[in-house]
Amino acid sequence: MDILVINCGSSSLKYQIINADTEAVLASGMCDRIGISEGEFSYKPANGEKLSKKVDMKDHEVAIKIVLDTLIDPQIGVINSLDEIKAVGHRTVHGGEYFTKSTLINDEVITQMEECIDLAPLHNPANLSGIRACQHLMPNTPMVAVFDTAFHQTMPPKAFMYGIPSEYYEKYKIRRYGFHGTSHSYVSKRTAQFLNIPLENSRIITCHLGNGSSICAIENGKSIDTSMGLTPLEGLIMGTRSGDLDPAIVDYICQKENISTKEMMNILNKKSGVLGISGLSSDFRDLLTAEEAGNEKAKFARATFAYRVAKYIGSYTAALTTVDAISFCAGVGENAKFIRGMIISHLQFLGIKLDEKANLETVGKEGIVSTPDSKVKVCVIPTNEELMIARDTRDIVMNL
Ligand code: ADP
């Protein structure tokens, strides 16, 4: 069963077509600068050359039309007709409290997603544009929404409520939701498989460390706590996001700099994190190069990032009471071996021992990076959100 997986951002769209039976990726690519001039389209069939071309795409529908036309192109396409796409899985950011799992899209689901726009004003409208465009171009194909927040809906109230008057939860649903759920779900399942431990009787901490970063405490396969909150700004220090801070700072800087809270939120989302600390870059590769050349601020940014991750792992050990495995994933978690080493060096109190050689050798692939006698297994598990979306979509449409 071929499934098209769509991940729409406000001006970009990533796609993969996956055979959900063999789990093979038939083709993948991206549309960039949608709604902006000089758009870029890329397409890579599994057994062929990557194609890139400049093409203006005024909206998501134009972009998706180009994707579909390419998939069925007689020369470079990977399917014969659009009928071979049995369903479309849409990555969707915010499902609020409505969605505890991936869901077949109908009018009611769209209305509920619209009601969540306030909670994710940048992401949900883009996700909805992608859904509407696909519905228009493939009116008879079932569509499934896979929510970043759904996996975390198992968090207990003590983990998701903030220490503010509860009327704000009652009136506005202000609470912690968490994100990267598809990734945390995939990586925890894969970790249990990889280590040959039963997921239903496991305690795993997954560290999704990319541009955006979050950590999740997973008990018996269920999220019981995660570091992002109402929005993806809370928790770890990220590429450009501040993560946790004293909320009084917002008002203080607004007063001192004579800026609005909107401008301040932009600083916290786009100009903070390791970019803000280093004054240099949000990319950990740049920071490592700078540190090696003697840049003290880059060194400090990396160390501060690692320290925050370690502190969260410590607190999630308390949440889980004991921990079987810690898994690293996403761009930094999968590749940045020195950062992993720095994080683990804080965790000796857990009886964790890093296998230095395995850690250096495990870059962008699955592996165990702790020693055989380490009290907790530490793994690298590359995430695969697209595959998880394809699996969920297949499971839902199979029963239609
Ligand atoms: P996103 O959150 O955008 O999906 P990714 O998970 O792809 O991000 O992570 C991107 C980040 O991963 C980059 O900004 C960079 O900091 C980091 N990264 C990627 N490759 C490496 C590498 N080889 N070494 C260190 N860091 C890396």
Side-chain angles (χ1 to χ4, degrees), residues 210-212 282-285 330-332 335-336:
N211 259 326
S282 61
D283 193 304
F284 282 80
R285 289 163 288 200
V332 179
N335 298 300

Side-chain angles (χ1 to χ4, degrees), residues 1 12 33 66 76 142 169 200 230 344 354 365 378:
M1 182 194 285
S12 70
R33 299 179 61 85
I66 295 172
I76 56 169
Y169 171 65
E200 334 50 75
L230 175 76
I344 301 300
L354 186 71
K365 60 176 184 187
V378 182

Side-chain angles (χ1 to χ4, degrees), residues 84 129 168 200 272 274 304 391:
E84 288 175 34
S129 311
Y168 299 122
E200 334 50 75
S272 299
V274 291
T304 312
R391 284 180 184 165

Side-chain angles (χ1 to χ4, degrees), residues 1 14 66-67 75 101 105-107 109 131 162 181 206 235-236 260 273 293 299 304 314 345 380 389:
M1 182 194 285
K14 292 187 203 140
I66 295 172
V67 172
Q75 259 85 51
K101 53 184 190 310
I105 297 174
N106 56 26
D107 290 347
V109 168
I131 292 169
Y162 287 112
T206 47
L236 301 178
S260 65
K299 181 176 178 185
T304 312
S345 71
V380 176
I389 294 171

